[in-house]
Amino acid sequence: MKWSETAWNRIEERYQSILTMPFILKLSDGSLPIEKFQFYMAQDSLYLEHFGRALSLIAARAHHIGDTLAYMRYAETAILVENALHESYFEDFGLTEKGKMQPACHHYVHFLKSTAALDPVEVGMASVLPCFWIYKKVGDHICSHIQAENNPYQKWIDTYGSEEFAEAVNKAIVICDRIAEGTTPAIREKMTEAFITASIMEYHFWEAAYELRKWI
């Protein structure tokens, strides 16, 4: 069994719980209150800036030049392309600024950047994979199972349910499987642990948006 298959099996229950979260269900049918989506988009825009930095760190440390180029492109996409989506949503939903980074986002980005900088690069690659993979799976699920007319969040759904995004995700999975196969059992286990931790943080990121969770 490939590393990615083993790692996903470890988070399958968590992924299923994501699909039934109020944030995801209401986003899917268009009933999510605007203030919750505004909170999410502001935090996600801040997240993507730091996610891009984590990807850049991984690119600089990758052992193979092909992987360096791949993660450089991922970083560019995170910072430029996806932020362009956020900018259009800022206009559509009346947001003028990103505001302050709140606890769930703060915890997540610091975990990713410290892992990308200080742990073996293989572990860094595993830590950023859930952001790709879970978003793709959620986008696919919504596109396949939930149809809502005039959904104000359709642009978000289309982005993560697209073939272009699928190609990027699949490439990231292939890279992780290849580097996992070539490393030690101890590092593979650390890869899995980082993958699980990031998956849990994905859940809490959406939960925090629904609850509008801020610093006390």
Side-chain angles (χ1 to χ4, degrees), residues 15-35:
Y15 168 67
Q16 293 299 326
S17 69
I18 287 172
L19 296 181
T20 59
M21 297 179 75
F23 186 94
I24 297 300
L25 292 176
K26 292 180 182 295
L27 174 77
S28 303
D29 66 17
S31 66
L32 182 70
I34 288 178
E35 67 271 17

Side-chain angles (χ1 to χ4, degrees), residues 164-181:
E164 183 179 6
F165 188 62
E167 290 177 9
V169 174
N170 290 335
K171 185 171 184 178
I173 294 170
V174 168
I175 290 173
C176 283
D177 280 334
R178 172 169 47 78
I179 59 103
E181 186 176 355

Side-chain angles (χ1 to χ4, degrees), residues 40-137:
Y40 165 77
M41 290 303 294
Q43 291 300 297
D44 200 42
S45 187
L46 290 166
Y47 168 86
L48 285 171
E49 293 180 14
H50 294 273
F51 184 59
R53 290 183 172 95
L55 292 166
S56 296
L57 286 167
I58 292 168
R61 299 180 64 212
H63 300 307
H64 302 288
I65 191 64
D67 295 343
T68 294
L69 291 172
Y71 281 87
M72 287 174 64
R73 293 189 184 105
Y74 293 148
E76 181 180 30
T77 298
I79 294 171
L80 297 178
V81 178
E82 294 197 50
N83 262 331
L85 172 68
H86 286 68
E87 288 173 7
S88 69
Y89 264 122
F90 274 31
E91 182 176 347
D92 293 344
F93 290 92
L95 281 170
T96 57
E97 59 183 23
K98 299 174 184 178
K100 183 178 181 180
M101 187 179 290
Q102 299 300 335
C105 181
H106 182 275
H107 190 181
Y108 197 178
V109 300
H110 281 75
F111 165 73
L112 293 180
K113 289 193 295 184
S114 63
T115 302
L118 301 175
D119 282 295
V121 68
E122 296 89 349
V123 180
M125 290 176 175
S127 73
V128 297
L129 185 58
C131 184
F132 290 102
W133 201 354
I134 290 176
Y135 266 63
K136 176 57 185 166
K137 295 272 283 187

